[in-house]
Amino acid sequence: LKRAYCIKEVYHTQASGAEFDVVMSTKQQAAFEAALVEDFGSIKAGMCKVDVRNAKCRNPKETKSILDELDGKVGFAECNKLVIGLLNKNLAAHARAALALLPAAERGVSTLIDALALLLRDMGQYEEARLLLEEAIQEKREKLGDRHPDTLSSIHNLGWLLANKTREYEEAKPLLEEAVQTRRETLGDRHRDTLDSISRMGYLLKDMGQLEEARPLCEEAVQVSKETLGDRHPHTLVYINNLDSLLQAMGKRA
């Protein structure tokens, strides 16, 4: 994915509508399938690092030729978006296959089921993502318990999906309330996961028009994140942006 001609081929595959797949040796395929279950996040993160601007060929002239072609046809930003989109589509297909191969007792409590759901959410496939998260919550409640961090992660993820993507606020609210309360009790008020749920809950209340109820949650997320992560941490900046949006909705200056 750092090679200009590879990115060019992926782009042209996407542009032509041709079938795309990644060819691996038997050994590589086995390692990849295991990594899907055990370390999906690293694979997903790697694919998001595609940047045609920094792609190279051994021959500088070839590099310039390919980059000029892609920039002229679609532009670097759109090329990156299309290439990453096709890679994610392929990754989702492999993840579905890997999930289907897991024993029934492991499927619902695996990290893969949530990871696939979040990938599908980012791809706009909300209904499939929702079904996977609902399955994960049911299985994790039964096998791990209501207070297990993995159970709470699935609960939070489904609440986030319903609140921010499908706008099903009334269904999202009890899920995020449960995530906030139980994470406070089990992880503490200053844990990063707790802060994420607090911030999401605050933003949900804002979207529901409950601005005064939302404010202390958004303010708490900002204050604690500044104290634990620092003023310039990406999470802190997100929480600040959420609070700023709320204060604007309330007619107040940030």
Side-chain angles (χ1 to χ4, degrees):
L1 299 178
K2 295 180 180 179
R3 299 178 182 178
Y5 63 84
C6 288
I7 293 179
K8 175 185 174 180
E9 289 175 1
V10 176
Y11 164 71
H12 281 293
T13 300
Q14 190 280 335
S16 67
E19 183 178 352
F20 173 81
D21 205 350
V22 180
V23 177
M24 307 179 194
S25 68
T26 302
K27 184 177 180 180
Q28 288 172 330
Q29 183 68 32
F32 181 66
E33 289 174 357
L36 283 173
V37 177
E38 299 168 4
D39 195 20
F40 187 95
S42 293
I43 299 174
K44 176 69 167 60
M47 289 186 174
C48 291
K49 292 179 180 178
V50 171
D51 187 352
V52 67
R53 295 178 185 84
N54 298 321
K56 303 290 184 183
C57 296
R58 291 182 180 177
N59 187 327
K61 291 183 178 179
E62 290 182 4
T63 299
K64 184 178 186 308
S65 175
I66 291 173
L67 296 189
D68 286 348
E69 175 191 346
L70 294 176
D71 190 26
K73 282 188 174 182
V74 68
F76 291 149
E78 184 64 15
C79 181
N80 288 340
K81 179 181 176 181
L82 293 172
V83 168
I84 292 171
L86 188 57
L87 292 172
N88 281 340
K89 183 178 179 181
N90 182 262
L91 177 59
H94 281 283
R96 288 190 191 97
L99 190 63
L101 291 175
L102 288 178
E106 298 178 17
R107 174 186 163 101
V109 297
S110 68
T111 57
L112 178 59
I113 194 168
D114 274 76
L116 175 56
L118 296 183
L119 174 60
L120 293 170
R121 179 199 70 188
D122 294 343
M123 293 169 62
Q125 299 181 28
Y126 303 137
E127 185 57 31
E128 186 179 357
R130 175 177 182 162
L131 292 174
L132 288 173
L133 289 171
E134 288 175 342
E135 177 186 349
I137 290 171
Q138 180 178 341
E139 290 294 309
K140 289 175 181 177
R141 284 193 191 278
E142 292 177 0
K143 294 182 171 67
L144 304 177
D146 294 337
R147 298 169 70 83
H148 192 281
D150 291 351
T151 307
L152 295 172
S153 179
S154 296
I155 291 170
H156 171 91
N157 289 336
L158 180 56
W160 191 98
L161 171 67
L162 296 175
N164 294 70
K165 297 299 181 181
T166 62
R167 306 300 182 185
E168 298 173 74
Y169 299 138
E170 293 300 334
E171 293 187 45
K173 187 176 181 181
L175 293 168
L176 289 177
E177 285 177 335
E178 180 180 2
V180 170
Q181 179 179 339
T182 311
R183 279 178 163 173
R184 284 191 190 277
E185 294 170 357
T186 59
L187 301 176
D189 294 336
R190 300 171 72 83
H191 193 280
R192 187 176 301 182
D193 289 346
T194 307
L195 292 180
D196 200 19
S197 290
I198 290 170
S199 178
R200 296 292 183 195
M201 187 69 217
Y203 210 72
L204 169 62
L205 292 172
K206 168 192 169 289
D207 286 345
M208 295 178 73
Q210 300 175 25
L211 305 186
E212 291 296 340
E213 293 87 343
R215 184 170 182 173
L217 293 171
C218 291
E219 289 177 337
E220 179 183 1
V222 170
Q223 182 62 35
V224 178
S225 188
K226 283 184 175 182
E227 294 171 358
T228 58
L229 301 176
D231 294 346
R232 302 174 68 85
H233 191 279
H235 286 204
T236 305
L237 297 177
V238 169
Y239 302 153
I240 290 172
N241 184 67
N242 289 346
L243 177 59
D244 180 59
S245 177
L246 171 65
L247 293 176
Q248 289 185 42
M250 297 177 73
K252 301 179 184 295
R253 297 184 64 183

